[in-house]
Amino acid sequence: MSRWKEEYQRKLVTPEQAVKVIKSGQHIVLPLGGGEPPDLLEAMAKRKDELEGVVLHQLLALRKLSYLQPGMEVHFRHNSWFTSGASRAMVQAGLASVTPNYFHDVPRLITDYIDVDILMACVSPMDEHGYFSFGLSVDYTTTAALKAKTVILEVNPHMPRTLGNCFIHINDAAMLVESSSPIPELASAPITERDMAIGHYIADLVENGSTVQLGIGGIPNAVAQCLLNKEDLGIHTEMIVDGMVDLVEKGVITGKKKSMHKGKLVGTFALGSNKLYQFLDNNPLIEMHPVSYTNDPYVIGQQYKMISVNAAVEVDLLGQCCSESIGHVQFSGTGGQADYARGAVRSQGGKGFITVPATAKGNKISRIVPRLSEGAVVTTSKNDVDHVVTEFGVAKLRGRTFKERAQALIEIAHPDFRPWLREEAKRMNVL
Ligand code: COA
């Protein structure tokens, strides 16, 4: 038996044994989405009567686990750094905390402000050199692993072994547990005609050879479909999504024109279908890096013709984009939207796109609004936004006056709301 295999056997324990190390009041960091370790977390939840005030820091919780339920918050306080379907009810009920952040800054915030007692993470099986890949969630996990006093790894054969700057050595783990829990898939919303209309407007402005980032939500996969007739695109992104697999398989993504990491598909986390997870496994095309690198606006700005595509909840007539709350109610998070909006416009020939369907709630609400709703937060500032796209067209805002912005945004609002928007704009002395 090799040295590392012996070490593996020495460190292997059951989830119940591993979570005995947790003490009241400690801070635990969990990877994002598919990187969370469900068996460890369920074993931890069973210790609820022995524990109080344990804080769990995470972006984008994926599973509705036992600890993340009403009544558990005295024992386990979830601190959401990006709210998701699994954490939304707890956050909105005030039973979980929220720490605002730019995604690129999360490793720095962890380093400076979080006393990481424990990192618990799901990883791919160990290789012959003693390394495990963090797989789907590299982002802030590598930083948390360096800072944690104790690292516990949940080794899962379903976790894709992604390549890049994303490994941890067995010497750096205190305990290992084995799991075969399936990695949840994030079902893509069906692509609507409206999504395709938005996708086509963006595709018309994407030149061959561009480097592309696609964000979270329903529209990015539609945008990917609309890029199928392009040539030599590259990917530098935070989130690797299903739509990118199709673009690789059709030969659209070659990465040949990229200014950095030529020929590689660079990302920091991935979430999608099993097809995506299989595509990522041991694929030399993929290069994962910490989010402090992939989302650094200065790094993004060095990419060739950088295109960023991210979605908003509503956009006001000045161009301020709210993309994470509905009024004052927290819905998601800033994620990397502002990072990529800033980075794209720094890039030579780069373009930033914020997509927003013109209406919500069956055409009853306009998502182009005179002023953001009461309590709505600004995710992307008016100074960073470049283009806003609805199913009615594209509004170019960068370098334009308030009056020009308001005119352009009213033209892409739903026709039923345009007279109201014009009146409000006049009342605000914008028109
Ligand atoms: N008023 C009231 N409700 C609204 C609304 C508005 N102005 N805008 C949206 N909603 C509702 C929708 O009706 C929908 O509700 P439903 O699920 O009951 O139908 C819900 O909010 C979600 O809206 P939708 O546009 O379908 O969301 P999406 O899944 O496409 O995601 C964002 C859009 C903006 C929430 C998402 O992209 C996000 O969180 N972005 C911020 C982070 C980011 O961009 N990061 C960078 C890339 S990872």
Side-chain angles (χ1 to χ4, degrees):
M1 202 189 285
S2 81
R3 177 174 166 209
W4 305 125
K5 281 193 180 149
E6 277 173 28
E7 187 74 351
Y8 188 102
Q9 290 308 323
R10 209 175 57 73
K11 291 186 170 173
L12 191 61
V13 293
T14 64
E16 289 70 24
Q17 289 168 325
V19 298
K20 277 190 189 145
V21 76
I22 302 171
K23 296 189 181 68
S24 291
Q26 284 190 327
H27 288 253
I28 300 177
V29 173
L30 303 172
L32 170 165
E36 68 194 5
D39 293 13
L40 284 166
L41 289 167
E42 289 300 13
M44 177 195 77
K46 288 195 188 119
R47 286 194 59 210
K48 77 177 174 64
D49 294 332
E50 303 159 33
L51 295 170
E52 257 183 40
V54 175
V55 183
L56 294 109
H57 302 267
Q58 188 183 19
L59 275 87
L60 226 164
L62 195 54
R63 301 168 176 90
K64 291 193 173 158
L65 295 168
S66 308
Y67 93 88
L68 199 48
Q69 303 296 332
M72 294 295 253
E73 63 281 356
V74 179
H75 311 286
F76 308 109
R77 182 91 185 169
H78 181 80
N79 184 358
S80 168
W81 295 57
F82 187 104
T83 302
S84 61
S87 60
R88 200 166 286 137
M90 291 292 279
V91 166
Q92 293 181 353
L95 303 177
S97 314
V98 173
T99 300
N101 60 83
Y102 292 119
F103 199 9
H104 83 267
D105 207 20
V106 173
R108 176 73 189 268
L109 294 173
I110 288 175
T111 304
D112 288 356
Y113 298 105
I114 307 300
D115 200 8
V116 187
D117 293 297
I118 300 171
L119 170 82
M120 300 202 295
C122 184
V123 290
S124 67
M126 187 177 76
D127 67 19
E128 66 272 32
H129 306 290
Y131 285 94
F132 305 87
S133 167
F134 281 118
L136 296 176
S137 169
V138 176
D139 36 68
Y140 56 92
T141 308
T142 46
T143 303
L146 284 175
K147 192 167 182 198
K149 293 173 196 122
T150 303
V151 173
I152 311 175
L153 301 178
E154 184 166 313
V155 184
N156 187 326
H158 303 303
M159 173 60 87
R161 181 175 185 272
T162 58
L163 305 177
N165 188 0
C166 57
F167 289 93
I168 179 165
H169 195 265
I170 190 166
N171 282 344
D172 297 319
M175 285 178 272
L176 308 171
V177 304
E178 288 181 332
S179 165
S180 56
S181 297
I183 310 286
E185 296 180 72
L186 186 74
S188 308
I191 297 178
T192 63
E193 269 180 43
R194 190 188 63 186
D195 298 341
M196 287 303 279
I198 292 174
H200 283 301
Y201 283 124
I202 294 173
D204 286 348
L205 293 168
V206 175
E207 293 170 59
N208 289 335
S210 297
T211 303
V212 176
Q213 173 262 338
L214 298 176
I216 197 163
I219 294 172
N221 282 324
V223 175
Q225 278 205 14
C226 298
L227 294 175
L228 282 168
N229 62 353
K230 301 286 171 187
E231 286 170 20
D232 287 331
L233 297 183
I235 299 285
H236 181 97
T237 190
E238 56 177 75
M239 177 172 177
I240 304 180
V241 297
D242 275 279
M244 293 172 185
V245 182
D246 299 336
L247 288 170
V248 170
E249 286 176 351
K250 299 264 162 43
V252 177
I253 290 172
T254 63
K256 276 187 193 160
K257 305 278 177 176
K258 284 181 94 179
S259 45
M260 301 160 83
H261 308 278
K262 240 181 228 311
K264 297 283 182 183
L265 192 162
V266 173
T268 197
F269 80 94
L271 208 47
S273 70
N274 268 326
K275 183 178 171 193
L276 173 68
Y277 302 155
Q278 279 162 24
F279 165 81
L280 294 170
D281 188 40
N282 244 339
N283 187 341
L285 173 69
I286 307 300
E287 211 175 281
M288 301 293 265
H289 286 278
V291 70
S292 47
Y293 178 75
T294 58
N295 283 38
D296 181 340
Y298 294 93
V299 172
I300 299 165
Q302 291 170 53
Q303 308 297 328
Y304 180 65
K305 292 186 178 166
M306 184 73 212
I307 300 288
S308 85
V309 182
N310 293 297
V313 169
E314 60 180 11
V315 179
D316 76 11
L317 290 181
L318 307 182
Q320 305 188 95
C321 306
C322 165
S323 311
E324 59 192 280
S325 71
I326 297 178
H328 68 277
V329 179
Q330 189 71 33
F331 185 81
S332 55
T334 304
Q337 179 165 131
D339 298 339
Y340 274 89
R342 281 198 185 139
V345 295
R346 291 182 72 92
S347 138
Q348 200 86 41
K351 293 176 189 146
F353 295 94
I354 295 291
T355 66
V356 62
T359 57
K361 306 288 171 205
N363 289 344
K364 287 199 196 78
I365 298 174
S366 176
R367 291 170 72 162
I368 303 288
V369 288
R371 296 162 294 278
L372 293 183
S373 303
E374 192 181 327
V377 300
V378 175
T379 305
T380 297
S381 136
K382 65 189 188 317
N383 303 344
D384 293 322
V385 67
D386 188 11
H387 302 83
V388 175
V389 191
T390 72
E391 64 273 34
F392 296 102
V394 182
K396 168 77 181 169
L397 304 190
R398 188 167 156 80
R400 301 281 154 85
T401 64
F402 279 149
K403 182 178 172 184
E404 289 164 338
R405 285 166 176 244
Q407 277 168 336
L409 286 164
I410 292 169
E411 275 168 32
I412 63 161
H414 189 287
D416 291 355
F417 291 99
R418 290 179 197 168
W420 166 68
L421 288 166
R422 265 188 216 104
E423 282 310 306
E424 288 296 312
K426 280 185 199 150
R427 231 165 49 80
M428 291 158 59
N429 289 331
V430 178
L431 277 189

